[in-house]
């Protein structure tokens, strides 16, 4: 795995009520990832970017919802999410200021 690919695997952290509950209870962090990302790539990307130790990665695909916009029918895009379990004592803080 090259570093250029690992920098592109993680698209964004998922900050929602559910993800913060999971982070507090299970020491997991949720990320939106590329559609073709694999578990080893996500693990390596998180360890590279955030300097933490990853215990395991769980992945899931969510299908985009069909939505109506007036008389037009549209569809949201499909997403792939990764729930990353950190080893005990490890933490990722997204509110921290980057210098």
């Amino acid at each position: 795995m090259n570093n250029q690919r690992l920098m592109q695997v993680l698209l964004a952290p998922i900050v929602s009520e559910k993800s913060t509950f999971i982070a507090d209870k299970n020491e997991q962090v949720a990320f939106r990832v590329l559609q073709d990302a694999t578990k080893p790539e996500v693990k390596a990307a998180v360890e590279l970017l955030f300097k933490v130790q990853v215990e395991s990665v769980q992945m899931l695909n969510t299908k985009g919802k069909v939505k109506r916009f007036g008389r037009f029918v549209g569809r949201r895009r499909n997403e792939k999410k990764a729930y990353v379990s950190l080893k005990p004592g490890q933490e990722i803080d997204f509110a921290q200021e980057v210098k």
Side-chain angles (χ1 to χ4, degrees):
M1 289 178 260
N2 60 5
N3 285 346
Q4 189 174 14
R5 166 72 178 170
L6 294 179
M7 294 293 219
Q8 297 173 350
V9 169
L10 300 179
L11 299 177
I14 299 174
V15 181
S16 64
E17 189 173 350
K18 180 180 178 181
S19 66
T20 54
F21 177 74
I22 289 173
D24 292 340
K25 185 177 179 189
N26 300 335
E27 296 183 11
Q28 287 184 330
V29 183
F31 291 100
R32 189 168 291 118
V33 296
L34 292 177
Q35 280 294 111
D36 60 343
T38 62
K39 286 183 181 185
E41 284 180 335
V42 171
K43 180 178 179 177
V46 170
E47 289 178 347
L48 175 72
L49 292 173
F50 298 105
K51 308 290 189 270
V52 294
Q53 295 177 345
V54 175
E55 190 170 316
S56 66
V57 178
Q58 297 169 324
M59 309 277 279
L60 71 112
N61 288 311
T62 56
K63 294 194 176 178
K65 293 182 177 181
V66 175
K67 292 288 187 175
R68 289 190 51 156
F69 302 99
R71 61 188 172 124
F72 301 105
V73 177
R75 184 184 165 103
R76 292 187 181 167
R77 68 178 67 125
N78 298 332
E79 291 182 331
K80 191 169 195 176
K81 297 178 185 177
Y83 289 98
V84 178
S85 297
L86 302 176
K87 290 192 177 177
Q90 301 290 313
E91 183 179 317
I92 296 176
D93 186 17
F94 294 115
Q96 180 180 352
E97 183 179 328
V98 179
K99 293 181 181 181

